Short mmCIF file of all heavy atoms in Angstrom, two decimals:
data_model
loop_
_atom_site.label_atom_id
_atom_site.label_comp_id
_atom_site.label_asym_id
_atom_site.label_seq_id
_atom_site.Cartn_x
_atom_site.Cartn_y
_atom_site.Cartn_z
N SER A 295 34.96 12.20 19.43
CA SER A 295 36.04 12.65 20.31
C SER A 295 35.57 12.68 21.75
O SER A 295 34.37 12.79 22.04
CB SER A 295 36.52 14.04 19.90
OG SER A 295 35.44 14.97 19.93
N THR A 296 36.52 12.57 22.65
CA THR A 296 36.21 12.63 24.08
C THR A 296 36.19 14.08 24.54
O THR A 296 37.10 14.84 24.22
CB THR A 296 37.27 11.85 24.88
OG1 THR A 296 37.32 10.51 24.41
CG2 THR A 296 36.92 11.86 26.37
N PRO A 297 35.16 14.50 25.25
CA PRO A 297 35.09 15.89 25.72
C PRO A 297 36.27 16.23 26.63
O PRO A 297 36.82 15.37 27.32
CB PRO A 297 33.77 15.94 26.49
CG PRO A 297 32.97 14.79 25.98
CD PRO A 297 33.97 13.72 25.64
N GLU A 298 36.66 17.49 26.62
CA GLU A 298 37.73 17.94 27.48
C GLU A 298 37.25 18.02 28.92
O GLU A 298 36.06 17.91 29.22
CB GLU A 298 38.22 19.32 27.01
CG GLU A 298 38.83 19.31 25.61
CD GLU A 298 39.29 20.68 25.18
OE1 GLU A 298 39.11 21.64 25.98
OE2 GLU A 298 39.82 20.81 24.06
N GLU A 299 38.21 18.22 29.82
CA GLU A 299 37.89 18.29 31.24
C GLU A 299 36.89 19.42 31.51
O GLU A 299 37.09 20.56 31.12
CB GLU A 299 39.16 18.53 32.06
CG GLU A 299 38.93 18.49 33.56
CD GLU A 299 40.22 18.72 34.32
OE1 GLU A 299 41.26 18.96 33.67
OE2 GLU A 299 40.19 18.65 35.56
N GLY A 300 35.81 19.08 32.17
CA GLY A 300 34.77 20.05 32.47
C GLY A 300 33.71 20.13 31.41
O GLY A 300 32.55 20.46 31.69
N GLU A 301 34.08 19.84 30.17
CA GLU A 301 33.12 19.91 29.07
C GLU A 301 32.08 18.80 29.16
O GLU A 301 30.90 19.01 28.86
CB GLU A 301 33.86 19.82 27.73
CG GLU A 301 32.98 20.09 26.52
CD GLU A 301 33.76 20.05 25.22
OE1 GLU A 301 34.97 19.73 25.27
OE2 GLU A 301 33.16 20.35 24.17
N ALA A 302 32.51 17.62 29.59
CA ALA A 302 31.58 16.49 29.72
C ALA A 302 30.52 16.79 30.77
O ALA A 302 29.32 16.52 30.56
CB ALA A 302 32.35 15.23 30.10
N GLU A 303 30.94 17.36 31.90
CA GLU A 303 29.98 17.71 32.96
C GLU A 303 29.03 18.80 32.50
O GLU A 303 27.83 18.76 32.81
CB GLU A 303 30.72 18.16 34.21
CG GLU A 303 31.48 17.05 34.94
CD GLU A 303 32.78 16.68 34.25
OE1 GLU A 303 33.21 17.43 33.35
OE2 GLU A 303 33.35 15.63 34.59
N GLU A 304 29.55 19.76 31.77
CA GLU A 304 28.71 20.84 31.27
C GLU A 304 27.66 20.31 30.29
O GLU A 304 26.49 20.70 30.33
CB GLU A 304 29.57 21.91 30.60
CG GLU A 304 28.79 23.14 30.15
CD GLU A 304 29.70 24.22 29.58
OE1 GLU A 304 30.93 23.98 29.52
OE2 GLU A 304 29.18 25.28 29.22
N ASP A 305 28.09 19.41 29.41
CA ASP A 305 27.16 18.81 28.46
C ASP A 305 26.10 17.98 29.19
O ASP A 305 24.92 17.99 28.81
CB ASP A 305 27.91 17.93 27.46
CG ASP A 305 28.78 18.74 26.52
OD1 ASP A 305 28.55 19.96 26.40
OD2 ASP A 305 29.69 18.15 25.91
N TRP A 306 26.52 17.26 30.22
CA TRP A 306 25.59 16.44 31.00
C TRP A 306 24.54 17.30 31.66
O TRP A 306 23.34 16.98 31.63
CB TRP A 306 26.37 15.63 32.04
CG TRP A 306 25.55 14.64 32.80
CD1 TRP A 306 25.32 13.33 32.47
CD2 TRP A 306 24.84 14.87 34.02
NE1 TRP A 306 24.52 12.74 33.41
CE2 TRP A 306 24.20 13.66 34.38
CE3 TRP A 306 24.67 15.97 34.85
CZ2 TRP A 306 23.42 13.53 35.52
CZ3 TRP A 306 23.88 15.85 35.98
CH2 TRP A 306 23.27 14.64 36.32
N LEU A 307 24.95 18.39 32.29
CA LEU A 307 24.01 19.28 32.95
C LEU A 307 23.06 19.92 31.94
O LEU A 307 21.88 20.16 32.23
CB LEU A 307 24.77 20.35 33.74
CG LEU A 307 25.53 19.83 34.96
CD1 LEU A 307 26.50 20.89 35.47
CD2 LEU A 307 24.56 19.43 36.07
N GLN A 308 23.57 20.18 30.75
CA GLN A 308 22.73 20.75 29.69
C GLN A 308 21.67 19.74 29.25
O GLN A 308 20.49 20.07 29.11
CB GLN A 308 23.60 21.16 28.50
CG GLN A 308 22.82 21.74 27.32
CD GLN A 308 22.21 23.09 27.64
OE1 GLN A 308 22.85 23.93 28.26
NE2 GLN A 308 20.97 23.29 27.22
N ASP A 309 22.08 18.49 29.04
CA ASP A 309 21.17 17.46 28.55
C ASP A 309 20.13 17.06 29.60
O ASP A 309 19.05 16.58 29.24
CB ASP A 309 21.95 16.22 28.12
CG ASP A 309 22.79 16.49 26.88
OD1 ASP A 309 22.51 17.50 26.18
OD2 ASP A 309 23.73 15.72 26.61
N THR A 310 20.44 17.21 30.85
CA THR A 310 19.49 16.89 31.91
C THR A 310 18.62 18.07 32.31
O THR A 310 17.77 17.93 33.20
CB THR A 310 20.22 16.36 33.16
OG1 THR A 310 21.17 17.34 33.59
CG2 THR A 310 20.92 15.05 32.86
N GLY A 311 18.82 19.23 31.70
CA GLY A 311 18.03 20.41 32.03
C GLY A 311 18.49 21.13 33.27
O GLY A 311 17.76 21.94 33.83
N LEU A 312 19.71 20.86 33.71
CA LEU A 312 20.22 21.45 34.95
C LEU A 312 21.32 22.48 34.71
O LEU A 312 22.03 22.86 35.64
CB LEU A 312 20.75 20.35 35.88
CG LEU A 312 19.72 19.32 36.34
CD1 LEU A 312 20.40 18.19 37.09
CD2 LEU A 312 18.66 19.96 37.20
N SER A 313 21.47 22.93 33.49
CA SER A 313 22.56 23.87 33.18
C SER A 313 22.50 25.17 33.97
O SER A 313 23.55 25.77 34.24
CB SER A 313 22.58 24.18 31.68
OG SER A 313 21.33 24.68 31.25
N PRO A 314 21.32 25.68 34.39
CA PRO A 314 21.32 26.91 35.20
C PRO A 314 22.07 26.78 36.52
O PRO A 314 22.43 27.80 37.12
CB PRO A 314 19.82 27.16 35.44
CG PRO A 314 19.15 26.56 34.25
CD PRO A 314 19.94 25.32 33.97
#
Side-chain angles (χ1 to χ4, degrees):
S295 58
T296 303
E298 297 180 359
E299 185 180 3
E301 189 178 4
E303 290 76 13
E304 185 176 2
D305 291 342
W306 186 90
L307 291 166
Q308 179 68 42
D309 292 342
T310 57
L312 298 173
S313 56

